[in-house]
Structures are given as structure tokens and as C-alpha cells.
Amino acid sequence: MSRTRSKDEDPQMKREISELTETILASLADVGADWTFFFMVMDDEAFKAAEAYDALRLSLFVVCVLSSIFAAVLFVSSVIKMLGWISADTFKKILVAEALIGDVPDFVVTSLIELARGEGITTIGVLSIVTSAYNLIQNALAYFRIEDNSARRLRSNSSSPADQFEERYSKRYDTTSAREKLDKLKKRNFFDEEEAST
């Protein structure tokens, strides 16, 4: 009775799913903090009295919308990457774009709003800045993990088909059964080569 191995049983796949989940959750936390800060600031009298109220309000709204869009793009591209439909390089570009277009402007706009208020930094302002920083760190880690996972995959794929066969079956069955099947496979390939040369 043979059983097929699902992707969930592969430790490398589990690790990659875990790493991508961390990145997605960091992005969602950042979006949540951005929108919370936006709605909190809209009702703040000290901010409404600031000279640059209209420009900063619009800037914050744009940052919140961009963060939301990038969180959705990151989620979809993570799923697509797990299915193998986009390359690691494309996913890296998405991570860099989110950092440069979503996180960095968030730092700047949140800081400018807190300065314009003139009443010191708010708790939600700190939360917005911290979640953006954490998201930026998670994106950087994901960027470099993708290289590590690709290198790991290359190393694991560099073995011969016979070695891969032996490794796959030795995990599922006892090693004697795998060795017998491997010997049969080698004999079959040997005879096929003999027939092809005649």
C-alpha cells in the first residue's frame, strides 16, 4: 500500500509557509495600525488646528491605501509563489516595493503628523511607527530567506535521479525495499541503454 507524500509533509515547504505567514501577518498588522492612526487623527482637534492639516490628511490617506494594496498584493503573490507561478526574483521585487512605497512613507507621514499636532507623540502613533518598522524588518528577512530557500532547493535538486529515487523511497519504506527497487531501476536503465546502442 503506497501513500503519496503531500506538500504539507515536506519540512522545507512547512518552513517556507511559516516564513511567508510571518511576513503577511506583519503586513496586516501594519495596515491595521495605519488605518487606526488615520481614524484617530481625523477626530483630533490638535491635528485639525495644524497648518498642514489638509496636505497631511491626504498624505496619510494615500499611505493607508497603498499599504492596504501592498498587503493584498503580498498575500496573493505569496500564495502564487507557493504554487510556483512566480519566480523568487519577482517576489523579491514586491517586497522591496512594499518597503519603499508603503513603510518608508508611513514613517515620514506619521512623524510629520505627530510634529504638527504639537502635543507629543500618541500611543497609536508609536504603534503605527513600530508596526511599519517590524514590517520593514520582516520584508528584509523574507528577501534574504528566499535566497536561502532557493540555494537549498538547488542543492537538493543537484542529486542524480537515482539518488532522489532512493531518498524518496527510503523515507517511505524500509531501506531494503528501496534498495531492491533502485537495483531494478538501474538494471532497466542499463538494458534500455544497451538496446538503444544496438
Side-chain angles (χ1 to χ4, degrees), residues 88-103:
D89 289 336
T90 303
F91 190 71
K92 286 181 183 182
K93 289 175 186 172
I94 292 169
L95 290 172
V96 170
E98 184 191 18
L100 294 178
I101 298 172
D103 295 329

Side-chain angles (χ1 to χ4, degrees), residues 39-190:
F39 288 115
M40 191 254 351
V41 163
M42 291 303 104
D43 295 332
D44 187 54
E45 293 302 322
F47 180 54
K48 287 180 180 178
E51 288 179 27
Y53 171 74
D54 290 329
L56 288 174
R57 183 182 61 167
L58 179 62
S59 299
L60 183 59
F61 179 73
V62 169
V63 166
C64 289
V65 169
L66 287 174
S67 292
S68 300
I69 290 169
F70 273 108
V73 168
L74 185 65
F75 176 76
V76 171
S77 61
S78 296
V79 171
I80 291 172
K81 182 187 174 303
M82 293 304 299
L83 295 172
W85 294 349
I86 63 170
S87 67
D89 289 336
T90 303
F91 190 71
K92 286 181 183 182
K93 289 175 186 172
I94 292 169
L95 290 172
V96 170
E98 184 191 18
L100 294 178
I101 298 172
D103 295 329
V104 173
D106 189 23
F107 288 130
V108 173
V109 173
T110 303
S111 302
L112 288 174
I113 288 172
E114 292 292 355
L115 286 171
R117 287 181 65 254
E119 294 184 354
I121 192 161
T122 60
T123 305
I124 195 67
V126 170
L127 181 65
S128 180
I129 290 171
V130 167
T131 55
S132 290
Y134 182 70
N135 189 36
L136 190 63
I137 291 166
Q138 276 300 120
N139 285 348
L141 289 173
Y143 183 92
F144 292 111
R145 284 177 184 156
I146 290 170
E147 282 188 353
D148 291 344
N149 289 345
S150 299
R152 218 177 290 128
R153 219 176 268 125
L154 281 174
R155 282 195 300 275
S156 68
N157 289 341
S158 63
S159 59
S160 70
D163 292 339
Q164 290 175 5
F165 176 86
E166 181 177 14
E167 181 181 340
R168 185 173 62 223
Y169 280 96
S170 65
K171 288 179 183 175
R172 289 189 208 169
Y173 308 106
D174 62 43
T175 53
T176 56
S177 171
R179 178 56 59 195
E180 290 169 3
K181 289 180 181 184
L182 181 62
D183 290 339
K184 288 179 184 177
L185 179 69
K186 287 180 179 177
K187 287 178 184 176
R188 191 176 316 137
N189 285 341
F190 174 77

